[in-house]
Amino acid sequence: MTAFLAMVLALGGFAALETLMHGALNLSADFLLLLVFACVAAPHTLNLGHNARISTLQPFLVGAIVLLGVREAMLLAAVSMAYFWAVGRPRFEVHKGLFNLCNFVLSTWLGGHVYYLSGGRTGDVSSPDSLLALLWCVLTFFAVNTALVSIAAGLEQKIDPFRVWYEKYSWTINSQLAGGSLVILIAMLRQRYGLQALFLLVPFCLMSYHFYKAYFPRAAQRAHKT
């Protein structure tokens, strides 16, 4: 577990350093609004058991990748997770807080690079290349984020990480894809209405959170009976 944690922290630090070395941040009004929304959403997590949790941050981070760029999305991930660590109750232990922060930073970094390397362009959600790139971005973010948590939970609980992933996270892929679709809608509306379109992210994340909260206990109860 210690070696795995050190690896995640090292990779997260490398991703942050690599990003800082490539250009300046664009702290626009869109970014600041997304930052506020992300900080509000970050504490809304659901405990899935085996120390696995699910967050509502994904649409904000993917949206930042597409609308603003990788650097801004990574800063959004770092600040929102640091805020969650500071205000969350009960507060995570230091190593768990750092793991969560580096997990989201690394997932955002990889998802962002996949988006742009696959032909995606900042603010573009109409061309076939950008749409396909967005799909790869969402899948990459989902795979990295959930895989790292599943491995960490599996090592800590001494159970198969794939079992953790399959039972706790595999069923959430639909909401991740829905979040990607929402990013497309927001990007299109933003071109016409400006940053007001970003407010659509809030009800979606609230609905996702309450869906998870209502669905998961029932699914776990049914699985326990079978």
Side-chain angles (χ1 to χ4, degrees), residues 12-27:
F14 168 79
L17 182 62
E18 189 272 342
T19 300
L20 290 174
M21 294 173 61
H22 291 81
L25 292 166
N26 178 22
L27 303 182

Side-chain angles (χ1 to χ4, degrees), residues 148-216:
L148 291 178
V149 175
S150 299
I151 293 171
L155 291 174
E156 186 176 29
Q157 300 291 321
K158 294 181 172 56
I159 56 178
D160 183 7
F162 180 76
R163 176 188 164 193
V164 176
W165 181 86
Y166 183 77
E167 292 181 357
K168 309 299 182 183
Y169 290 113
S170 62
W171 57 275
T172 66
I173 183 62
N174 292 333
S175 66
Q176 305 295 308
L177 293 173
S181 300
L182 180 64
V183 170
I184 296 173
L185 175 62
I186 288 173
M188 295 176 67
L189 292 175
R190 178 172 171 263
Q191 294 173 357
R192 181 168 182 177
Y193 299 107
L195 59 80
Q196 293 93 327
L198 299 178
F199 282 86
L200 289 174
L201 283 167
V202 177
F204 174 82
C205 291
L206 287 174
M207 287 188 293
S208 296
Y209 171 74
H210 287 291
F211 167 76
Y212 291 145
K213 192 174 182 179
Y215 171 79
F216 183 75

